[in-house]
Amino acid sequence: MKRFFKMRWIAALLVVVGAACFLSFKSGDSRSFQVAKNLDIFNSIVKELDMFYVDTIDPNKTIREGIDAMLYSLDPYTNYFPEEDQSELEQMLKNSYGGIGSVITWNTKLKRSMIAEPYENMPAANVGLKVGDILMEIDGKDLAGKNNQEVSELLRGQVGTSFKLKVQRPGTEKPLEFDIVRRSIQLPLIPYYTVLDKNIGYINLSSFSGNPSKEFKQAFLDLKKKGITSLVIDLRNNGGGLLDEAVEIANYFLPRGKTLVTTKGKVKQASNSYKTLREPLDLEIPLAVLVNSSSASAAEILAGALQDYDRAVIVGNRTFGKGLVQTTRPLPYGSTMKITTSKYYIPSGRCVQAIDYKHRNEDGSVGRIPDSLTTVFHTAAGREVRDGGGVTPDIVVKQEKLPNILFYLVNDNLIFDYATQYCLKHPTIPAPDKFEITDADYADFKALVKKADFKYDQQTEKILKNLKEMAEFEGYLTEASEEFKALEKKLTHNLERDLDHFSKEIKTMIAVEIIKRYYYQRGSIIEQLKDDDDLKEAEKILTDPVKYKEMLSVPAAVKKGGK
């Protein structure tokens, strides 16, 4: 009997201790409990779906979509990469992959992928693939019905492996076959650098992935040998990459021991400071940095650090505003997660992050932090700069809006098709700096557009239609009918007029498309620099030493005010 009561007492004690532990777990470590609870619920949901859902579910697809949705609710930069997608992650981090070295695009008429841009000195270009080649077969496997993503995966593979590619080239009757050996494809980090007029150096830096600091140093020293007296660094459309590479390049122009970036995260290893560790290459050469709304992440670190230390004049348009840092974490079964671990702060103490992903609107959307909620910081010299919205240039250049018709001409592949026809007739063309689209060339292009029965939406027609409907709804249409008729007559769709009116912009786009067929990315950059408003402003400030110095100093009126 005593043994029975003793066992009951022990059992009761275990229940009490268990309840106490449970209560302690819930109250003392509620976050851990919530995580464990929801993981258990998620696991149960998947099991129930797999057992009872009316159709058989694909666990890889269903769970992957759940993971992607969960991560996207945090920010667009936290991503999951299963084992089969590791090459995509490697390309992102190293700016390289195993493949043929070409951009492919979709031919809407033929419903097949085609070569859009082979990279210079890469397998696609070396074997003779040309822009416009329609991809028919890979090792005898028909590519019909496969989208660009699927074809891209077939073109990529282990470095050193080979395959046979069959293409249909415009202007040839029989398909062509090429034996291609995959190589490690390194995307151009510095596709072009040169000496401009008045001894101004120019370096186009396309990415901070891989090892661009080494190439940048070589380009800069080469330009110095050629006698440059100032330098333009073009970071437009540079989406970023490795933080260390941005620090290394900034160090070429800033003294040793300067703090360039500070990262702050939840865990200790996510918080760090990055300083210039080496002696600089040049502390005196005047610098201008070109940026636009697609300059992001590491590009903003370089531009922002040079601005905060008053070392360069920033020219162009406000940058993207990505002040978040990602690192990779290994996961089971060969998978990886790229996760946002910290925010970064440039020398003035500001963070350039423009979007607050933590505080979303009721519909789940996010918006940029309004300028009214940003904070003023100061550069080393005392100039005012702000956080919360990218890097604002010292010289803001008004962006000319591209005409609506140009979007549709590109989208319908009409400029692409004309360039393909042009190249069939012209085995060679002049150097990019001397090439131009003649009036006769443009007349041929216009004939191609008309023959294609080209149609496009005019925004004025849409807006006028909406206005007319609203006027009718509110009872104004009868009184304003004559005015509406006059407007409709003036805004009548006129293809000939639009092609002539926007000929300058369209000719430039045609020239870029043609030149890159012969001179690759380098050639297209040369063409675009011919009439570049950002570059003009940079040249203007770099050739005016007094104005340059004034721009990087605090105005005398501000100094007197005792700021």
Side-chain angles (χ1 to χ4, degrees):
M1 191 61 136
K2 284 183 180 179
R3 186 172 179 276
F4 173 73
F5 280 112
K6 186 177 181 182
M7 290 298 293
R8 286 187 64 185
W9 182 82
I10 291 171
L13 182 62
L14 287 172
V15 169
V16 171
V17 170
C21 290
F22 181 73
L23 288 170
S24 173
F25 182 58
K26 285 184 71 177
S27 58
D29 195 9
S30 59
R31 287 201 76 263
S32 297
F33 171 74
Q34 293 300 328
V35 170
K37 168 187 165 184
N38 284 286
L39 283 174
D40 195 18
I41 291 171
F42 182 80
N43 184 47
S44 297
I45 288 172
V46 173
K47 286 182 177 179
E48 294 294 316
L49 285 173
D50 191 45
M51 185 173 292
F52 294 112
Y53 187 69
V54 62
D55 296 319
T56 302
I57 67 167
D58 178 346
N60 290 327
K61 182 175 182 292
T62 303
I63 295 173
R64 174 66 189 272
E65 287 180 353
I67 291 171
D68 289 345
M70 173 180 66
L71 298 182
Y72 191 75
S73 72
L74 302 174
D75 66 54
Y77 315 112
T78 298
N79 311 118
Y80 167 66
F81 296 87
E83 187 176 19
E84 60 270 21
D85 289 349
Q86 292 303 298
S87 60
E88 182 185 342
L89 178 62
E90 184 179 356
Q91 180 189 348
M92 190 182 300
L93 297 175
K94 298 181 180 178
N95 206 38
S96 65
Y97 61 94
I100 69 170
S102 175
V103 176
I104 60 173
T105 190
W106 187 249
N107 187 302
T108 51
K109 293 177 183 175
L110 300 177
K111 307 295 182 189
R112 282 182 179 270
S113 297
M114 63 181 173
I115 299 292
E117 183 181 353
Y119 296 128
E120 194 169 8
N121 299 320
M122 292 298 169
N126 290 345
V127 300
L129 286 172
K130 295 187 179 296
V131 177
D133 285 348
I134 307 297
L135 306 185
M136 306 300 289
E137 295 179 5
I138 292 179
D139 284 336
K141 187 175 183 179
D142 191 356
L143 299 177
K146 296 192 179 297
N147 60 34
N148 273 349
Q149 179 64 32
E150 293 168 317
V151 173
S152 180
E153 288 172 3
L154 291 170
L155 292 172
R156 295 185 184 189
Q158 195 72 29
V159 173
T161 57
S162 62
F163 65 97
K164 200 175 287 289
L165 178 65
K166 182 184 284 188
V167 305
Q168 182 64 58
R169 179 165 295 170
T172 62
E173 292 183 12
K174 293 182 178 180
L176 305 174
E177 286 196 352
F178 298 90
D179 291 311
I180 304 180
V181 179
R182 295 181 180 93
R183 274 175 50 190
S184 177
I185 306 301
Q186 177 71 56
L187 303 182
L189 299 174
I190 298 183
Y192 181 63
Y193 71 92
T194 191
V195 180
L196 303 170
D197 292 338
K198 299 177 182 176
N199 294 324
I200 298 173
Y202 170 88
I203 299 178
N204 185 296
L205 179 57
S206 65
S207 174
F208 286 89
S209 298
N211 190 19
S213 59
K214 184 179 179 181
E215 289 189 32
F216 187 98
K217 182 178 181 180
Q218 291 173 345
F220 177 63
L221 293 177
D222 186 34
L223 291 174
K224 289 268 283 184
K225 285 180 184 176
K226 292 176 180 176
I228 64 167
T229 54
S230 59
L231 177 68
V232 175
I233 304 172
D234 194 344
L235 298 180
R236 291 174 298 181
N237 304 314
N238 184 321
L242 302 177
L243 185 153
D244 289 338
E245 290 296 307
V247 172
E248 187 73 17
I249 293 174
N251 196 170
Y252 296 154
F253 306 104
L254 291 169
R256 185 175 183 174
K258 293 288 186 181
T259 299
L260 295 186
V261 187
T262 303
T263 62
K264 297 178 183 178
K266 186 191 298 181
V267 295
K268 187 177 180 181
Q269 57 264 41
S271 301
N272 210 339
S273 286
Y274 298 80
K275 294 185 177 183
T276 50
L277 302 176
R278 297 174 177 78
E279 292 302 318
L281 297 178
D282 195 321
L283 290 176
E284 301 299 327
I285 190 168
L287 301 174
V289 179
L290 307 185
V291 295
N292 64 7
S293 60
S294 295
S295 305
S297 191
E300 294 176 288
I301 290 175
L302 177 57
L306 293 175
Q307 185 180 54
D308 282 356
Y309 281 118
D310 307 290
R311 183 64 187 87
V313 173
I314 313 301
V315 180
N317 283 264
R318 186 189 290 193
T319 61
F320 181 82
K322 181 179 181 288
L324 306 175
V325 180
Q326 286 74 43
T327 55
T328 56
R329 302 286 300 171
L331 297 175
Y333 301 101
S335 58
T336 307
M337 180 164 66
K338 180 167 68 73
I339 179 172
T340 299
T341 52
S342 58
K343 291 182 178 180
Y344 72 77
Y345 300 80
I346 50 180
S348 62
R350 55 182 169 146
C351 178
V352 301
Q353 180 62 25
I355 298 175
D356 185 358
Y357 292 104
K358 188 175 180 180
H359 299 99
R360 293 177 178 264
N361 301 321
E362 289 185 8
D363 62 357
S365 63
V366 292
R368 292 178 69 92
I369 298 170
D371 290 343
S372 59
L373 296 181
T374 59
T375 305
V376 172
F377 291 80
H378 295 92
T379 70
R383 297 184 299 140
E384 285 192 2
V385 287
R386 287 184 172 269
D387 67 354
V391 175
T392 300
D394 302 302
I395 300 175
V396 177
V397 181
K398 184 182 178 182
Q399 286 290 94
E400 296 296 328
K401 291 185 178 180
L402 293 175
N404 192 43
I405 188 174
L406 188 56
F407 168 81
Y408 287 97
L409 288 170
V410 171
N411 194 57
D412 287 6
N413 281 336
L414 289 172
I415 290 178
F416 186 96
D417 292 344
Y418 174 75
T420 301
Q421 291 183 19
Y422 185 96
C423 294
L424 290 172
K425 299 174 185 175
H426 300 80
T428 61
I429 63 170
D433 58 328
K434 294 181 173 60
F435 178 80
E436 63 177 23
I437 298 296
T438 65
D439 291 341
D441 294 333
Y442 195 61
D444 290 342
F445 172 73
K446 286 165 63 176
L448 179 145
V449 172
K450 292 170 186 174
K451 187 177 179 181
D453 194 27
F454 173 62
K455 297 286 191 298
Y456 64 101
D457 291 331
Q458 284 185 310
Q459 294 302 312
T460 48
E461 287 183 355
K462 283 185 177 181
I463 293 169
L464 182 60
K465 183 182 177 184
N466 292 337
L467 180 62
K468 193 174 180 181
E469 289 173 355
M470 186 57 66
E472 184 177 18
F473 177 75
E474 294 184 350
Y476 298 116
L477 185 58
T478 303
E479 292 180 11
S481 61
E482 291 303 317
E483 286 82 354
F484 272 109
K485 284 178 184 177
L487 263 177
E488 285 170 346
K489 189 175 180 181
K490 287 186 177 181
L491 299 177
T492 300
H493 191 90
N494 188 327
L495 179 60
E496 181 76 29
R497 175 257 178 202
D498 287 352
L499 287 172
D500 288 339
H501 185 74
F502 297 111
S503 61
K504 180 185 174 184
E505 294 88 346
I506 298 171
K507 280 183 177 181
T508 298
M509 191 66 77
I510 294 171
V512 168
E513 187 61 46
I514 289 174
I515 287 172
K516 73 180 181 183
R517 314 275 180 117
Y518 300 88
Y519 297 100
Y520 304 97
Q521 189 177 0
R522 173 174 53 91
S524 65
I525 292 171
I526 294 171
E527 171 61 30
Q528 291 172 79
L529 291 179
K530 287 179 183 177
D531 189 22
D532 189 317
D533 291 337
D534 293 349
L535 183 59
K536 288 176 185 175
E537 288 296 330
E539 290 174 329
K540 195 185 297 182
I541 192 70
L542 290 174
T543 52
D544 187 342
V546 175
K547 184 72 174 174
Y548 178 84
K549 188 176 180 180
E550 282 179 3
M551 185 152 283
L552 296 178
S553 307
V554 178
V558 176
K559 284 182 181 178
K560 287 179 182 177
K563 183 181 66 62

